[in-house]
Coordinates of all heavy atoms in Angstrom, one line a residue:
M1 N -2.3 -2.6 7.9 CA -2.5 -1.9 6.6 C -2.2 -0.4 6.8 O -2.7 0.2 7.8 CB -3.9 -2.1 6.1 CG -4.2 -1.6 4.7 SD -5.9 -1.9 4.1 CE -6.1 -3.7 4.3
N2 N -1.4 0.2 5.9 CA -1.1 1.6 6.1 C -2.3 2.5 5.7 O -3.4 2.0 5.2 CB 0.1 2.0 5.3 CG -0.1 1.8 3.8 OD1 -1.2 1.8 3.2 ND2 1.0 1.7 3.1
D3 N -2.1 3.8 5.8 CA -3.2 4.7 5.6 C -3.8 4.7 4.1 O -5.0 4.7 3.9 CB -2.8 6.2 5.9 CG -2.7 6.4 7.3 OD1 -3.3 5.7 8.1 OD2 -2.0 7.4 7.7
I4 N -2.9 4.6 3.2 CA -3.4 4.5 1.8 C -4.1 3.2 1.5 O -5.1 3.2 0.8 CB -2.2 4.7 0.8 CG1 -2.8 4.9 -0.7 CG2 -1.3 3.5 0.7 CD1 -1.9 5.6 -1.6
G5 N -3.7 2.1 2.1 CA -4.3 0.8 2.1 C -5.7 0.9 2.7 O -6.7 0.4 2.1
K6 N -5.9 1.6 3.8 CA -7.2 1.8 4.4 C -8.1 2.7 3.6 O -9.3 2.3 3.4 CB -7.0 2.4 5.8 CG -6.4 1.4 6.8 CD -6.2 2.1 8.1 CE -5.5 1.2 9.1 NZ -5.2 1.8 10.3
R7 N -7.5 3.7 3.0 CA -8.3 4.6 2.1 C -8.8 3.8 0.9 O -9.9 3.9 0.3 CB -7.5 5.8 1.7 CG -7.4 6.8 2.8 CD -6.9 8.2 2.4 NE -6.4 8.3 1.1 CZ -5.1 8.6 0.9 NH1 -4.2 8.7 1.8 NH2 -4.7 8.7 -0.4
M8 N -7.8 2.9 0.3 CA -8.2 2.2 -0.8 C -9.3 1.2 -0.5 O -10.2 0.9 -1.4 CB -6.9 1.5 -1.4 CG -7.0 0.9 -2.7 SD -5.5 0.2 -3.3 CE -4.5 1.7 -3.5
A9 N -9.2 0.5 0.6 CA -10.2 -0.5 1.0 C -11.6 0.2 1.1 O -12.6 -0.3 0.6 CB -9.8 -1.1 2.4
A10 N -11.7 1.4 1.7 CA -12.9 2.1 1.9 C -13.4 2.5 0.5 O -14.6 2.4 0.2 CB -12.7 3.4 2.7
F11 N -12.5 2.9 -0.5 CA -12.9 3.3 -1.8 C -13.5 2.1 -2.5 O -14.6 2.2 -3.2 CB -11.7 3.9 -2.5 CG -12.0 4.2 -4.0 CD1 -12.8 5.4 -4.3 CD2 -11.7 3.4 -5.0 CE1 -13.0 5.7 -5.6 CE2 -12.0 3.7 -6.3 CZ -12.7 4.8 -6.6
I12 N -12.8 1.0 -2.4 CA -13.3 -0.2 -3.1 C -14.6 -0.7 -2.6 O -15.5 -1.0 -3.4 CB -12.2 -1.4 -3.0 CG1 -11.0 -1.0 -3.8 CG2 -12.8 -2.7 -3.4 CD1 -9.7 -1.9 -3.5
L13 N -14.8 -0.6 -1.3 CA -16.1 -1.0 -0.7 C -17.2 -0.1 -1.2 O -18.3 -0.5 -1.5 CB -16.1 -0.9 0.8 CG -15.3 -2.1 1.5 CD1 -15.3 -1.9 3.0 CD2 -16.0 -3.4 1.2
Q14 N -16.9 1.2 -1.3 CA -17.9 2.2 -1.8 C -18.2 1.9 -3.3 O -19.3 1.8 -3.8 CB -17.3 3.6 -1.8 CG -18.4 4.6 -2.1 CD -19.6 4.6 -1.2 OE1 -19.4 4.4 0.0 NE2 -20.7 5.0 -1.8
E15 N -17.2 1.5 -4.1 CA -17.4 1.1 -5.5 C -18.2 -0.1 -5.6 O -19.0 -0.3 -6.5 CB -16.0 0.9 -6.2 CG -15.3 2.1 -6.5 CD -15.9 3.1 -7.5 OE1 -16.2 2.6 -8.6 OE2 -16.2 4.2 -7.2
L16 N -18.0 -1.1 -4.7 CA -18.7 -2.3 -4.7 C -20.1 -2.3 -4.1 O -20.9 -3.3 -4.2 CB -18.0 -3.4 -4.1 CG -16.6 -3.8 -4.8 CD1 -15.8 -4.9 -3.9 CD2 -16.9 -4.3 -6.2
K17 N -20.4 -1.2 -3.4 CA -21.6 -1.1 -2.6 C -22.9 -1.5 -3.4 O -23.7 -2.3 -2.9 CB -21.8 0.3 -2.0 CG -22.9 0.4 -1.0 CD -22.8 1.8 -0.5 CE -23.8 2.0 0.6 NZ -23.8 3.3 1.2
P18 N -23.1 -1.1 -4.6 CA -24.3 -1.5 -5.3 C -24.4 -2.9 -5.6 O -25.4 -3.6 -5.5 CB -24.3 -0.7 -6.6 CG -23.4 0.5 -6.4 CD -22.4 0.0 -5.3
R19 N -23.3 -3.5 -6.0 CA -23.2 -4.9 -6.3 C -23.4 -5.8 -5.1 O -24.1 -6.8 -5.1 CB -21.9 -5.3 -7.0 CG -21.7 -6.7 -7.4 CD -22.6 -7.0 -8.6 NE -22.4 -8.4 -9.0 CZ -23.3 -9.1 -9.5 NH1 -24.5 -8.7 -9.8 NH2 -23.0 -10.4 -9.8
L20 N -22.9 -5.4 -3.9 CA -23.0 -6.1 -2.7 C -24.4 -6.1 -2.3 O -25.0 -7.1 -1.8 CB -22.1 -5.5 -1.6 CG -20.6 -5.6 -1.7 CD1 -19.9 -4.8 -0.7 CD2 -20.2 -7.1 -1.8
A21 N -25.1 -5.0 -2.4 CA -26.5 -4.8 -2.1 C -27.3 -5.8 -3.0 O -28.2 -6.5 -2.5 CB -27.0 -3.4 -2.3
T22 N -27.0 -5.9 -4.3 CA -27.7 -6.8 -5.2 C -27.6 -8.2 -4.8 O -28.5 -9.0 -4.9 CB -27.2 -6.6 -6.6 OG1 -27.4 -5.2 -7.0 CG2 -27.9 -7.5 -7.6
L23 N -26.4 -8.5 -4.3 CA -26.1 -9.9 -3.8 C -26.6 -10.2 -2.4 O -26.3 -11.3 -1.9 CB -24.6 -10.2 -4.0 CG -24.2 -10.2 -5.4 CD1 -22.6 -10.2 -5.4 CD2 -24.7 -11.3 -6.2
D24 N -27.1 -9.2 -1.7 CA -27.5 -9.3 -0.3 C -26.3 -9.6 0.6 O -26.5 -10.4 1.6 CB -28.6 -10.4 -0.1 CG -29.9 -9.8 0.1 OD1 -30.1 -8.5 0.3 OD2 -30.9 -10.6 0.1
I25 N -25.2 -9.1 0.3 CA -24.0 -9.2 1.1 C -23.8 -7.9 2.0 O -23.6 -6.8 1.4 CB -22.7 -9.5 0.3 CG1 -22.9 -10.7 -0.6 CG2 -21.5 -9.5 1.2 CD1 -21.8 -10.9 -1.6
P26 N -24.0 -8.0 3.2 CA -23.8 -6.8 4.1 C -22.4 -6.3 4.0 O -21.4 -7.1 4.1 CB -24.1 -7.3 5.5 CG -24.6 -8.8 5.4 CD -24.2 -9.2 4.0
Q27 N -22.3 -5.0 3.8 CA -21.0 -4.4 3.6 C -20.0 -4.6 4.9 O -18.8 -4.9 4.6 CB -21.1 -2.9 3.3 CG -19.8 -2.2 2.7 CD -20.2 -0.9 2.3 OE1 -21.3 -0.4 2.3 NE2 -19.1 -0.2 1.8
E28 N -20.6 -4.7 6.0 CA -19.8 -4.9 7.2 C -19.3 -6.3 7.3 O -18.4 -6.6 8.1 CB -20.6 -4.5 8.5 CG -21.9 -5.1 8.7 CD -23.0 -4.4 7.9 OE1 -22.8 -3.3 7.4 OE2 -24.2 -5.0 7.9
S29 N -19.8 -7.3 6.5 CA -19.2 -8.6 6.4 C -18.0 -8.8 5.6 O -17.3 -9.8 5.5 CB -20.3 -9.6 6.0 OG -20.6 -9.5 4.6
V30 N -17.7 -7.7 4.8 CA -16.6 -7.7 3.9 C -15.3 -7.3 4.6 O -15.2 -6.2 5.1 CB -16.8 -6.7 2.7 CG1 -15.6 -6.7 1.7 CG2 -18.1 -7.1 1.9
D31 N -14.4 -8.3 4.7 CA -13.1 -8.0 5.3 C -12.0 -8.3 4.3 O -12.2 -8.6 3.1 CB -12.9 -8.9 6.6 CG -13.0 -10.4 6.3 OD1 -12.9 -10.8 5.1 OD2 -13.0 -11.1 7.3
G32 N -10.7 -8.3 4.8 CA -9.6 -8.5 3.9 C -9.6 -9.8 3.2 O -9.1 -10.0 2.1
Q33 N -10.3 -10.9 3.8 CA -10.3 -12.2 3.1 C -11.5 -12.4 2.2 O -11.6 -13.5 1.7 CB -10.3 -13.3 4.2 CG -8.9 -13.3 5.0 CD -7.7 -13.2 4.2 OE1 -7.5 -14.0 3.3 NE2 -6.8 -12.2 4.5
F34 N -12.3 -11.4 2.1 CA -13.5 -11.4 1.3 C -13.0 -11.8 -0.2 O -12.2 -11.1 -0.8 CB -14.2 -10.1 1.3 CG -15.5 -10.2 0.5 CD1 -16.6 -10.8 0.9 CD2 -15.6 -9.4 -0.8 CE1 -17.8 -10.8 0.2 CE2 -16.7 -9.5 -1.5 CZ -17.8 -10.1 -1.1
D35 N -13.6 -12.8 -0.7 CA -13.3 -13.3 -2.1 C -14.1 -12.5 -3.1 O -15.3 -12.7 -3.3 CB -13.7 -14.8 -2.3 CG -13.2 -15.4 -3.5 OD1 -13.0 -14.6 -4.5 OD2 -13.1 -16.6 -3.6
L36 N -13.5 -11.5 -3.7 CA -14.2 -10.7 -4.7 C -14.8 -11.4 -5.9 O -15.9 -11.1 -6.2 CB -13.1 -9.6 -5.2 CG -12.5 -8.7 -4.3 CD1 -11.3 -8.0 -4.9 CD2 -13.5 -7.8 -3.7
V37 N -14.1 -12.4 -6.3 CA -14.6 -13.1 -7.5 C -15.6 -14.3 -7.1 O -16.6 -14.4 -7.6 CB -13.4 -13.8 -8.3 CG1 -13.9 -14.6 -9.5 CG2 -12.4 -12.6 -8.7
G38 N -15.2 -15.1 -6.1 CA -16.0 -16.2 -5.7 C -17.4 -15.8 -5.2 O -18.3 -16.5 -5.3
S39 N -17.4 -14.6 -4.6 CA -18.7 -14.1 -4.0 C -19.7 -13.6 -5.1 O -20.8 -13.3 -4.9 CB -18.4 -12.9 -3.1 OG -17.9 -11.8 -3.8
G40 N -19.0 -13.3 -6.3 CA -19.8 -12.8 -7.4 C -19.8 -11.2 -7.4 O -20.5 -10.6 -8.2
A41 N -19.1 -10.6 -6.3 CA -19.1 -9.2 -6.3 C -18.4 -8.6 -7.5 O -18.7 -7.5 -7.9 CB -18.4 -8.7 -5.0
V42 N -17.4 -9.3 -8.0 CA -16.6 -8.8 -9.2 C -16.6 -9.9 -10.2 O -16.2 -11.0 -9.9 CB -15.2 -8.4 -8.7 CG1 -14.4 -7.9 -9.9 CG2 -15.3 -7.3 -7.7
D43 N -17.0 -9.6 -11.4 CA -16.7 -10.5 -12.6 C -15.6 -10.0 -13.4 O -14.9 -9.0 -13.0 CB -18.0 -10.7 -13.4 CG -18.6 -9.4 -13.9 OD1 -17.9 -8.4 -14.0 OD2 -19.7 -9.5 -14.4
S44 N -15.4 -10.5 -14.6 CA -14.2 -10.0 -15.4 C -14.3 -8.6 -15.8 O -13.3 -7.8 -15.7 CB -13.9 -11.0 -16.6 OG -15.1 -11.0 -17.4
L45 N -15.4 -8.2 -16.2 CA -15.6 -6.8 -16.6 C -15.6 -5.9 -15.3 O -15.0 -4.9 -15.3 CB -17.0 -6.5 -17.3 CG -17.3 -5.2 -17.7 CD1 -16.2 -4.6 -18.6 CD2 -18.7 -5.1 -18.4
G46 N -16.2 -6.4 -14.3 CA -16.2 -5.7 -13.0 C -14.8 -5.4 -12.5 O -14.5 -4.4 -11.9
F47 N -13.9 -6.4 -12.7 CA -12.6 -6.4 -12.3 C -11.9 -5.2 -13.0 O -11.1 -4.4 -12.4 CB -11.8 -7.7 -12.4 CG -10.4 -7.7 -12.1 CD1 -10.1 -7.7 -10.7 CD2 -9.4 -7.5 -13.0 CE1 -8.7 -7.7 -10.3 CE2 -8.0 -7.5 -12.6 CZ -7.8 -7.5 -11.3
I48 N -12.1 -5.2 -14.3 CA -11.4 -4.1 -15.2 C -11.9 -2.8 -14.7 O -11.1 -1.8 -14.6 CB -11.7 -4.4 -16.6 CG1 -10.9 -5.6 -17.1 CG2 -11.2 -3.2 -17.5 CD1 -11.4 -6.2 -18.4
E49 N -13.2 -2.7 -14.5 CA -13.8 -1.4 -14.0 C -13.2 -1.0 -12.7 O -12.9 0.2 -12.4 CB -15.3 -1.5 -14.0 CG -15.9 -1.5 -15.3 CD -17.4 -1.8 -15.3 OE1 -17.9 -2.3 -14.2 OE2 -18.1 -1.7 -16.3
L50 N -13.1 -1.9 -11.8 CA -12.5 -1.7 -10.4 C -11.1 -1.3 -10.5 O -10.7 -0.2 -9.9 CB -12.6 -2.9 -9.5 CG -12.2 -2.7 -8.0 CD1 -13.0 -1.7 -7.4 CD2 -12.3 -4.1 -7.3
V51 N -10.3 -1.9 -11.3 CA -8.9 -1.5 -11.5 C -8.8 -0.1 -12.0 O -8.1 0.8 -11.5 CB -8.1 -2.5 -12.5 CG1 -6.8 -1.9 -12.8 CG2 -7.9 -3.8 -11.7
G52 N -9.7 0.2 -13.0 CA -9.6 1.6 -13.6 C -10.1 2.6 -12.6 O -9.5 3.7 -12.5
A53 N -11.1 2.3 -11.8 CA -11.5 3.3 -10.8 C -10.4 3.5 -9.7 O -10.2 4.6 -9.3 CB -12.8 2.7 -10.1
V54 N -9.7 2.5 -9.3 CA -8.7 2.6 -8.3 C -7.5 3.3 -8.9 O -7.0 4.2 -8.2 CB -8.3 1.2 -7.7 CG1 -7.0 1.3 -7.0 CG2 -9.3 0.5 -6.9
E55 N -7.1 3.0 -10.1 CA -6.0 3.7 -10.7 C -6.3 5.2 -10.9 O -5.5 6.1 -10.6 CB -5.7 3.2 -12.1 CG -5.1 1.8 -12.1 CD -4.8 1.2 -13.5 OE1 -5.6 1.6 -14.5 OE2 -3.9 0.4 -13.6
S56 N -7.6 5.5 -11.3 CA -8.0 6.9 -11.4 C -8.0 7.7 -10.1 O -7.5 8.8 -10.0 CB -9.4 7.0 -12.1 OG -9.8 8.3 -12.2
E57 N -8.6 7.0 -9.1 CA -8.7 7.7 -7.8 C -7.4 7.9 -7.1 O -7.2 8.9 -6.5 CB -9.6 6.8 -6.9 CG -9.8 7.3 -5.5 CD -10.6 8.6 -5.4 OE1 -11.3 8.9 -6.3 OE2 -10.6 9.3 -4.3
F58 N -6.5 6.9 -7.3 CA -5.2 7.0 -6.5 C -4.0 7.4 -7.4 O -2.9 7.4 -7.0 CB -4.9 5.7 -5.8 CG -5.9 5.5 -4.7 CD1 -7.1 4.7 -4.9 CD2 -5.7 6.0 -3.4 CE1 -8.0 4.6 -3.9 CE2 -6.6 5.8 -2.4 CZ -7.8 5.2 -2.7
K59 N -4.3 7.7 -8.6 CA -3.4 8.3 -9.6 C -2.1 7.4 -9.8 O -1.0 7.9 -9.6 CB -2.9 9.7 -9.1 CG -4.0 10.6 -8.7 CD -4.7 11.3 -10.0 CE -5.6 12.4 -9.5 NZ -7.0 11.9 -9.3
F60 N -2.3 6.2 -10.2 CA -1.2 5.3 -10.6 C -1.7 4.3 -11.5 O -2.9 4.1 -11.7 CB -0.5 4.7 -9.4 CG -1.3 3.7 -8.6 CD1 -1.2 2.4 -9.0 CD2 -2.3 3.9 -7.6 CE1 -2.0 1.4 -8.4 CE2 -3.0 3.0 -7.0 CZ -2.9 1.7 -7.4
E61 N -0.8 3.5 -12.2 CA -1.2 2.4 -13.0 C -0.7 1.1 -12.4 O 0.4 1.0 -11.9 CB -0.6 2.6 -14.4 CG -1.3 3.6 -15.3 CD -0.8 3.5 -16.7 OE1 -0.4 2.4 -17.2 OE2 -0.7 4.7 -17.2
M62 N -1.5 0.1 -12.4 CA -1.2 -1.2 -11.9 C -0.3 -1.9 -13.0 O -0.8 -1.9 -14.2 CB -2.4 -2.0 -11.5 CG -3.1 -1.5 -10.2 SD -4.5 -2.3 -9.7 CE -3.8 -3.7 -8.9
D63 N 0.8 -2.4 -12.7 CA 1.6 -3.2 -13.7 C 1.4 -4.7 -13.4 O 1.9 -5.4 -12.6 CB 3.1 -2.9 -13.4 CG 4.0 -3.6 -14.4 OD1 3.5 -4.3 -15.3 OD2 5.2 -3.6 -14.1
F64 N 0.5 -5.2 -14.2 CA 0.0 -6.6 -14.1 C 1.1 -7.6 -14.4 O 1.1 -8.8 -13.9 CB -1.2 -6.9 -15.0 CG -2.4 -6.2 -14.5 CD1 -2.8 -5.1 -15.1 CD2 -3.1 -6.7 -13.4 CE1 -3.9 -4.4 -14.6 CE2 -4.2 -6.0 -12.9 CZ -4.6 -4.8 -13.5
E65 N 2.1 -7.3 -15.2 CA 3.2 -8.2 -15.5 C 4.0 -8.5 -14.2 O 4.6 -9.6 -14.1 CB 4.1 -7.6 -16.6 CG 3.4 -7.6 -17.9 CD 4.3 -7.1 -19.1 OE1 5.5 -7.0 -18.9 OE2 3.7 -6.7 -20.1
A66 N 4.1 -7.5 -13.4 CA 5.0 -7.7 -12.2 C 4.1 -8.3 -11.0 O 4.7 -8.5 -9.9 CB 5.5 -6.4 -11.8
L67 N 2.9 -8.6 -11.2 CA 2.1 -9.1 -10.1 C 1.5 -10.5 -10.3 O 1.4 -10.9 -11.5 CB 0.9 -8.2 -9.9 CG 1.2 -6.7 -9.7 CD1 0.0 -5.8 -9.8 CD2 1.9 -6.5 -8.4
D68 N 1.2 -11.2 -9.3 CA 0.6 -12.5 -9.3 C -0.8 -12.4 -9.4 O -1.5 -12.0 -8.4 CB 1.1 -13.3 -8.0 CG 0.5 -14.7 -7.9 OD1 -0.1 -15.2 -8.9 OD2 0.6 -15.3 -6.8
P69 N -1.5 -12.9 -10.4 CA -2.9 -12.8 -10.6 C -3.7 -13.6 -9.5 O -4.8 -13.2 -9.2 CB -3.1 -13.5 -11.9 CG -1.9 -13.7 -12.6 CD -0.8 -13.5 -11.5
G70 N -3.1 -14.6 -8.9 CA -3.8 -15.3 -7.8 C -4.0 -14.5 -6.6 O -4.9 -14.8 -5.8
E71 N -3.3 -13.4 -6.4 CA -3.5 -12.5 -5.3 C -4.7 -11.6 -5.4 O -5.1 -11.0 -4.4 CB -2.2 -11.6 -5.0 CG -1.1 -12.4 -4.5 CD 0.1 -11.5 -4.2 OE1 0.0 -10.7 -3.2 OE2 1.1 -11.5 -4.9
F72 N -5.2 -11.4 -6.6 CA -6.2 -10.4 -6.8 C -7.6 -10.9 -6.4 O -8.6 -10.1 -6.4 CB -6.4 -10.1 -8.3 CG -5.3 -9.2 -8.8 CD1 -4.3 -9.6 -9.7 CD2 -5.2 -7.9 -8.4 CE1 -3.3 -8.8 -10.1 CE2 -4.3 -7.0 -8.9 CZ -3.3 -7.5 -9.7
T73 N -7.8 -12.1 -5.9 CA -9.1 -12.6 -5.6 C -9.7 -12.1 -4.3 O -10.9 -12.1 -4.1 CB -9.1 -14.2 -5.6 OG1 -8.2 -14.6 -4.6 CG2 -8.7 -14.7 -7.0
T74 N -8.9 -11.7 -3.3 CA -9.4 -11.2 -2.1 C -9.2 -9.7 -2.0 O -8.4 -9.1 -2.7 CB -8.7 -11.8 -0.9 OG1 -7.3 -11.4 -0.9 CG2 -8.8 -13.3 -0.8
L75 N -9.9 -9.0 -1.2 CA -9.9 -7.6 -1.1 C -8.4 -7.2 -0.6 O -7.8 -6.3 -1.2 CB -10.9 -7.1 0.0 CG -10.9 -5.6 0.3 CD1 -11.2 -4.8 -1.0 CD2 -11.9 -5.3 1.4
A76 N -8.0 -8.0 0.4 CA -6.6 -7.6 0.9 C -5.5 -7.9 -0.1 O -4.6 -7.1 -0.3 CB -6.3 -8.4 2.2
G77 N -5.7 -9.0 -0.9 CA -4.7 -9.3 -2.0 C -4.7 -8.2 -3.1 O -3.7 -7.8 -3.6
F78 N -6.0 -7.7 -3.5 CA -6.1 -6.7 -4.4 C -5.3 -5.5 -4.0 O -4.5 -4.9 -4.7 CB -7.5 -6.4 -4.7 CG -7.8 -5.4 -5.7 CD1 -8.0 -5.8 -7.1 CD2 -7.7 -4.0 -5.5 CE1 -8.3 -4.8 -8.1 CE2 -7.9 -3.1 -6.4 CZ -8.2 -3.5 -7.8
I79 N -5.5 -5.1 -2.8 CA -4.9 -3.9 -2.2 C -3.4 -4.1 -2.2 O -2.6 -3.2 -2.6 CB -5.5 -3.5 -0.8 CG1 -6.9 -3.1 -1.0 CG2 -4.6 -2.5 -0.2 CD1 -7.7 -3.0 0.3
R80 N -2.9 -5.3 -1.7 CA -1.4 -5.5 -1.7 C -0.8 -5.4 -3.1 O 0.2 -4.8 -3.3 CB -1.2 -6.9 -1.1 CG -0.9 -7.0 0.4 CD -0.3 -8.4 0.7 NE -1.1 -9.5 0.2 CZ -2.2 -10.0 0.7 NH1 -2.7 -9.5 1.9 NH2 -2.7 -11.1 0.2
C81 N -1.6 -6.0 -4.1 CA -1.0 -5.9 -5.4 C -1.0 -4.5 -5.9 O -0.1 -4.0 -6.6 CB -1.9 -6.7 -6.3 SG -1.7 -8.5 -6.1
A82 N -2.0 -3.7 -5.6 CA -2.1 -2.3 -6.1 C -1.0 -1.5 -5.4 O -0.3 -0.8 -6.1 CB -3.4 -1.7 -5.7
L83 N -0.7 -1.8 -4.1 CA 0.4 -1.1 -3.4 C 1.8 -1.5 -3.9 O 2.8 -0.8 -3.7 CB 0.2 -1.2 -1.9 CG -1.0 -0.6 -1.3 CD1 -1.1 -0.9 0.2 CD2 -1.0 0.9 -1.6
K84 N 1.9 -2.7 -4.5 CA 3.2 -3.2 -5.0 C 3.5 -2.6 -6.3 O 4.6 -2.7 -6.8 CB 3.2 -4.7 -5.1 CG 3.4 -5.5 -3.8 CD 3.7 -6.9 -4.1 CE 2.8 -7.8 -3.3 NZ 2.9 -9.2 -3.7
S85 N 2.5 -2.2 -7.1 CA 2.7 -1.7 -8.4 C 3.8 -0.6 -8.4 O 3.8 0.3 -7.6 CB 1.4 -1.1 -9.0 OG 0.5 -2.1 -9.3
P86 N 4.7 -0.7 -9.3 CA 5.8 0.3 -9.3 C 5.4 1.7 -9.4 O 6.0 2.6 -9.0 CB 6.6 -0.1 -10.6 CG 6.1 -1.4 -11.0 CD 4.7 -1.6 -10.4
N87 N 4.3 2.0 -10.0 CA 3.8 3.4 -10.1 C 3.0 4.0 -9.0 O 2.5 5.0 -9.0 CB 3.0 3.5 -11.4 CG 3.8 3.1 -12.6 OD1 5.0 3.4 -12.8 ND2 3.2 2.4 -13.5
S88 N 2.7 3.1 -8.0 CA 1.8 3.6 -7.0 C 2.5 4.3 -5.9 O 3.7 4.4 -5.8 CB 1.2 2.4 -6.2 OG 2.1 1.6 -5.6

């Protein structure tokens, strides 16, 4: 993962920190294969909020038409999709 990907992962973990604590999921157990949706860390509204926070922090817009929605379920997949966005 490149530097921006690492910064994005750290930012996402910080954004998810309150939800992870609520779910009793230790932050250090979250890796690239962590299932954002299946774990309950992100629901549909939480996903929209997370996308907005990432777009705002990293100053780009994600183009969902050009991306595979199946990739968004893991932390690494979310970051890959964000980095593939034409505006990133």
Side-chain angles (χ1 to χ4, degrees):
M1 189 179 303
N2 64 21
D3 285 342
I4 192 164
K6 289 177 185 175
R7 286 194 346 251
M8 195 175 291
F11 176 79
I12 290 169
L13 285 175
Q14 188 62 35
E15 289 292 305
L16 295 178
K17 190 175 186 176
R19 183 71 179 149
L20 294 173
T22 299
L23 295 169
D24 255 351
I25 299 172
Q27 196 168 356
E28 51 277 351
S29 72
V30 178
D31 62 9
Q33 298 309 308
F34 181 73
D35 188 340
L36 297 167
V37 178
S39 67
V42 177
D43 59 13
S44 56
L45 179 59
F47 179 77
I48 292 167
E49 291 172 344
L50 183 60
V51 168
V54 168
E55 288 178 337
S56 177
E57 178 70 18
F58 293 92
K59 313 279 190 268
F60 71 92
E61 281 186 39
M62 293 177 78
D63 179 8
F64 292 100
E65 290 181 19
L67 301 171
D68 176 10
E71 287 187 70
F72 284 109
T73 60
T74 65
L75 179 61
F78 183 96
I79 293 168
R80 265 193 313 276
C81 287
L83 294 175
K84 280 191 230 176
S85 290
N87 302 317
S88 64

